[in-house]
Amino acid sequence: METFSTDALPVPYSALVELGLSEEEITKAIESRPLVVACQASERERAWFSVEAANRAILAIESFRHTKGRWGGKPLKLAPWQIVWIIAPVFGWLYFDHELGRDVRVVRSAWIEIPRKAGKSTLSSGIGLALLLADRETGAEVYAAAGSLPQAERVFEDAKRMALTSRAVRGRVETLRGLIRVPRTGGIFRALSRIAETAHGLNVSGAIVDEVHVHKRRDLIDAIETGTGARDQPLIVFITTADEGTEGSIYDEKHTYTRRCSENIVSDPAHYGVIWAADESDDPYAESTWRKANPGLGVSPSLAYMRREAAKARSMPSYFPTFLRLSLNRRVRSSTRWLPLELWDRNAGPVDDKRFRKRRAWGGVDLSAVSDLSAWVLAVESRAPDTELEIIARFWLPEERLADLEQQLQVPLSQWVADGFLTLTEGDAIDYGAIERQIIEDCRRLDVMRVSYDRMFAGQLVQRIQTKTRGVDVVPVAQTYLGMSPGSKELERLLREGRIRHGGNPVLRWHAACVEVFRDQTDNIRPVKPNRGTSSARIDGIAAAVMAMDGYLRRPLKRPRASSA
C-alpha cells in the first residue's frame, strides 16, 4: 500500500515498485529528498514514464564495479536515493516524437548538486558509460568535461577502469589514451578540458560536466550544448558541489535556472535538477543537518568523516566556510575572519626593538600603489624562553592623505602618528625613499636573512635594496594560494602555540581584526581584505608579516658548533 504522496516523488510510486524498490527503500529515499527538486518532465506533451527505459539505465550502471577505496572490485549497487532522485527521472520520462516516429527521452539536461564525498565521480562514470553503451545511440559521442584536463580525466579514467573490469563490456570496447571506443557502433567516450577551441564541431550525444563551480569561462559548456543539435535525445549531466557565491558565473547561471524551474518561474520539461544542501537556519554541527545535505550519509560520506570535518570547522574559524560549502553544499564565500582578536591579544607581549642587534631576522614589505598605507614587518629571532619570534611592524602614510583616510577608515590614524606607530611622508603620494632608508637601516642593524615582497609595486625599491645590502636575499612572494599559504599557516601556528610576540602594535592589530582568508580545496589559505563594497579595511601589515614568515620557514638551520678537542 502506498504510504507517501506521489507529490514527493519525481516518478510514479508504482514505477519504483516495478523497478524492484521496497516500500522501506522508497521511504528512505523520500526522507533523503533534496532541498530543491526541478521536475517538469511529466508536463511535457505526450510524456509517459517508461519502467523499461529507467531499468535499462540502472542495469547498465550496476553492471560495473567500483574501482577505488574500500569498495574496490565490488559490484556498483545504486542506492535507493540515486535511483529515485537521479537515474529513474532522468532516463525514465519519454514522449512520442511524431517527426521521428518513436519515443525519445524528455530530459536533455540534468543538474545534480550535492556535497563532496557523495560518490559523484563513480556515479558520473557509470552514467557516462550507460550513455555510451546502453542508450541505443549509433555513433554515440560522450564527453567528460571539466575546468581542467586532469580533472576531466579523473572521471574518464574511472570510467575506463570500470569498462576494463566489466565482463559484459571489456570485449566490446577498445581503450586508448584518452579514448574509449566501441567498434561495433562507432561510439566514443573522451575527456575534454576547458580549452574549447577543440570542442567546436562535436556531435554530442552525452556529456558529464564535472564540478561546474570551477569553470571560469563558459566556452566549453557552450560548445557542448550547441554540439547536441544533430542528436534525437542528447543528455548533458552537470554534477557539482556549490560555489563560493560568485555572481554571474556559469555555475550561478545553471544553479539559478534550476531553482527557477523548481519554483515554476521557468517552464522547461527538458531540464531536471536536484540540489541537496543545508538551509541557512540549520545547525551545521547537527547530524540531522548532515543527513539533510548528504543523502548517502553513513556510506559516502561516512559519519566519521563528517565528524572530523565538523571538528575541524569548530576549531579553525577559517575552515568553517569550506565546511559549509563542501560538506553541506551551502553557497558561501570562502573568506572568513581569520585571526580572532582574543588570540591575537594573547600574543601581545612586549617587544623592544632597540635591544635587537645582529639577531637573525626575516622581513616582508607590502607597498601601497600611491597614496595609501605601506608596511614593513620584521620577524626577529627571539631570545626569550618559549618564544620563537618577535615582531617589529612599521607603517607609512602620505601626510596629505591623513585627514581623508582617518574619516574614511574610522580609525585613530592621528593618534597612531603621535604615538610613533605610523610615520607620515611628505606630500599626497607615498615616499618610497623613506621606506627604503628604513629597510636598509634595519638590514644593517639586524642580521636580516631575507626580504620578501609583492611584485606589484616594489620594482625600483627592490633593486636599490639589493644594491645597498650585502648578503640579504630579496625574494618575491606570489600573492596566490601556493605563495601565501606557507607563511599564513606558520603565523597561525605561532599565534596558537603562543610562541610569537607582536608588542600590541595598534596598526597591526587593526589589520589583524580586518583580515579574512580564502581557502582552496587542497587546504591552502590566502589572506584577503573583506569584500564590503568599500575600502574601509586594510591588511597591509598582516600581508607583510605573512611574507616575513615565508622567509622564516625557508631559513637555513643553524649548524651546531664543533666541540674543541
Side-chain angles (χ1 to χ4, degrees), residues 302-317:
S302 67
L303 272 169
Y305 170 83
M306 288 297 296
R307 287 168 182 151
R308 287 195 302 272
E309 291 296 289
K312 186 175 178 181
R314 275 187 188 275
S315 63
M316 295 177 59

Side-chain angles (χ1 to χ4, degrees), residues 8 21 32 87 310 313 331 342 367 389 405 439 455 484 495 546:
L21 294 177
S32 300
I87 304 304
R331 290 192 74 188
E342 180 185 356
L367 301 178
L389 294 174
L405 279 178
I439 292 174
R455 291 181 189 272
M484 296 295 278
L495 287 167
V546 164

Side-chain angles (χ1 to χ4, degrees), residues 405-426:
L405 279 178
E406 190 163 41
Q407 182 177 2
Q408 175 189 335
L409 302 176
Q410 296 296 299
V411 290
L413 296 177
S414 297
Q415 186 62 50
W416 292 341
V417 171
D419 293 341
F421 295 110
L422 177 61
T423 300
L424 298 180
T425 65
E426 290 185 7

Side-chain angles (χ1 to χ4, degrees), residues 6 8-16 19 39 49 83-85 88-90 92-93:
T6 56
L9 294 167
V11 298
Y13 183 95
S14 58
L16 296 176
L19 287 170
C39 181
F49 188 83
I83 293 174
V84 171
W85 297 109
V90 168
W93 285 107

Side-chain angles (χ1 to χ4, degrees), residues 206-507:
I208 309 296
V209 183
D210 189 33
E211 298 296 12
V212 182
H213 66 276
V214 303
H215 286 253
K216 304 303 181 187
R217 297 170 58 187
R218 60 175 307 121
D219 46 3
L220 176 61
I221 292 175
D222 284 346
I224 289 172
E225 290 182 327
T226 57
T228 62
R231 298 289 182 169
D232 296 338
Q233 53 171 15
L235 177 62
I236 301 174
V237 178
F238 300 91
I239 190 158
T240 188
T241 301
D243 78 343
E244 298 168 353
T246 305
E247 295 184 1
S249 64
I250 186 67
Y251 166 92
D252 183 56
E253 175 188 309
K254 301 292 185 184
H255 172 94
T256 302
Y257 189 80
T258 299
R259 283 186 169 273
R260 286 177 177 169
C261 287
S262 75
E263 296 162 352
N264 290 315
I265 296 172
V266 173
S267 177
D268 185 359
H271 182 76
Y272 177 80
V274 281
I275 300 173
W276 281 273
D279 275 317
E280 289 189 14
S281 58
D282 292 332
D283 178 0
Y285 300 114
E287 187 175 314
S288 58
T289 302
W290 304 348
R291 199 167 296 281
K292 178 179 181 178
N294 295 272
L297 184 66
V299 179
S300 185
S302 67
L303 272 169
Y305 170 83
M306 288 297 296
R307 287 168 182 151
R308 287 195 302 272
E309 291 296 289
K312 186 175 178 181
R314 275 187 188 275
S315 63
M316 295 177 59
S318 62
Y319 189 70
F320 182 66
T322 303
F323 172 68
L324 290 181
R325 186 171 68 85
L326 297 183
S327 294
L328 300 181
N329 206 46
R330 281 258 311 270
R331 290 192 74 188
V332 62
R333 290 177 63 225
S334 281
S335 66
T336 188
R337 171 79 171 273
W338 180 28
L339 303 172
L341 280 181
E342 180 185 356
L343 172 65
W344 184 260
D345 291 342
R346 284 205 306 265
N347 291 270
V351 174
D352 184 3
D353 70 312
K354 294 178 181 178
R355 296 183 296 105
F356 297 159
R357 293 287 174 182
K358 299 304 178 184
R359 292 194 194 179
R360 290 204 305 176
W362 298 264
V365 59
D366 189 85
L367 301 178
S368 64
V370 176
S371 56
D372 215 322
L373 281 163
S374 292
W376 161 240
V377 174
L378 283 157
V380 183
E381 205 164 43
S382 179
R383 293 175 183 170
D386 302 322
T387 302
E388 284 187 42
L389 294 174
E390 297 181 52
I391 298 297
I392 303 170
R394 310 192 193 283
F395 299 92
W396 292 266
L397 182 70
E399 184 175 20
E400 293 182 15
R401 290 281 292 147
L402 178 65
D404 288 344
L405 279 178
E406 190 163 41
Q407 182 177 2
Q408 175 189 335
L409 302 176
Q410 296 296 299
V411 290
L413 296 177
S414 297
Q415 186 62 50
W416 292 341
V417 171
D419 293 341
F421 295 110
L422 177 61
T423 300
L424 298 180
T425 65
E426 290 185 7
D428 63 355
I430 196 69
D431 179 3
Y432 292 136
I435 300 172
E436 174 193 327
R437 289 190 291 274
Q438 183 65 61
I439 292 174
I440 291 170
E441 179 185 329
D442 286 333
C443 286
R444 289 172 177 171
R445 183 169 60 93
L446 297 164
D447 183 13
V448 176
M449 311 296 293
R450 191 177 104 164
V451 173
S452 303
Y453 67 93
D454 175 4
R455 291 181 189 272
M456 183 70 73
F457 304 117
Q460 293 184 355
L461 181 140
V462 166
Q463 293 175 14
R464 289 193 291 267
I465 292 173
Q466 286 175 320
T467 301
K468 296 180 180 181
T469 58
R470 295 182 179 179
V472 178
D473 289 332
V474 183
V475 180
V477 175
Q479 307 296 292
T480 60
Y481 285 111
L482 292 179
M484 296 295 278
S485 187
S488 299
K489 290 187 174 182
E490 182 67 1
L491 177 60
E492 185 173 349
R493 177 190 74 82
L494 291 168
L495 287 167
R496 293 189 180 280
E497 294 180 3
R499 299 184 61 80
I500 193 170
R501 293 183 188 177
H502 52 70
N505 183 302
V507 187

Side-chain angles (χ1 to χ4, degrees), residues 15 65 86 203 279 288 293 320 372 491 525 540 558:
R65 294 179 177 272
I86 300 175
N203 189 357
D279 275 317
S288 58
F320 182 66
D372 215 322
L491 177 60
I525 60 177
D540 312 79
K558 288 184 176 179

Side-chain angles (χ1 to χ4, degrees), residues 71-256:
W71 297 294
K74 295 181 179 179
L76 199 168
K77 176 68 175 174
L78 290 169
W81 66 268
Q82 292 174 316
I83 293 174
V84 171
W85 297 109
I86 300 175
I87 304 304
V90 168
F91 287 91
W93 285 107
L94 308 180
Y95 74 98
F96 185 77
D97 187 309
H98 282 294
E99 185 177 341
L100 297 173
R102 65 183 181 91
D103 290 314
V104 293
R105 190 165 41 237
V106 174
V107 174
R108 303 300 171 90
S109 65
W111 180 264
I112 303 165
E113 190 174 329
I114 195 166
R116 198 177 183 185
K117 300 296 182 183
K120 293 196 298 293
S121 294
T122 300
L123 183 61
S124 298
S125 301
I127 292 174
L129 288 173
L131 291 171
L132 175 68
L133 298 161
D135 208 33
R136 298 180 176 178
E137 185 77 25
T138 301
E141 288 187 22
V142 181
Y143 296 94
S148 67
L149 189 56
Q151 187 180 1
E153 286 178 339
R154 279 196 287 273
V155 173
F156 171 81
E157 289 297 329
D158 201 20
K160 183 177 176 180
R161 284 190 293 271
M162 282 184 179
L164 290 175
T165 55
S166 169
R167 293 181 180 179
V169 170
R170 62 188 173 200
R172 297 169 53 193
V173 301
E174 292 179 353
T175 56
L176 306 170
R177 180 176 175 80
L179 178 69
I180 301 173
R181 193 165 72 90
V182 187
R184 186 175 62 84
T185 64
I188 60 169
F189 190 163
R190 176 176 288 159
L192 286 179
S193 75
R194 65 175 179 268
I195 303 170
E197 286 78 10
T198 60
H200 290 285
L202 301 177
N203 189 357
V204 181
S205 62
I208 309 296
V209 183
D210 189 33
E211 298 296 12
V212 182
H213 66 276
V214 303
H215 286 253
K216 304 303 181 187
R217 297 170 58 187
R218 60 175 307 121
D219 46 3
L220 176 61
I221 292 175
D222 284 346
I224 289 172
E225 290 182 327
T226 57
T228 62
R231 298 289 182 169
D232 296 338
Q233 53 171 15
L235 177 62
I236 301 174
V237 178
F238 300 91
I239 190 158
T240 188
T241 301
D243 78 343
E244 298 168 353
T246 305
E247 295 184 1
S249 64
I250 186 67
Y251 166 92
D252 183 56
E253 175 188 309
K254 301 292 185 184
H255 172 94
T256 302

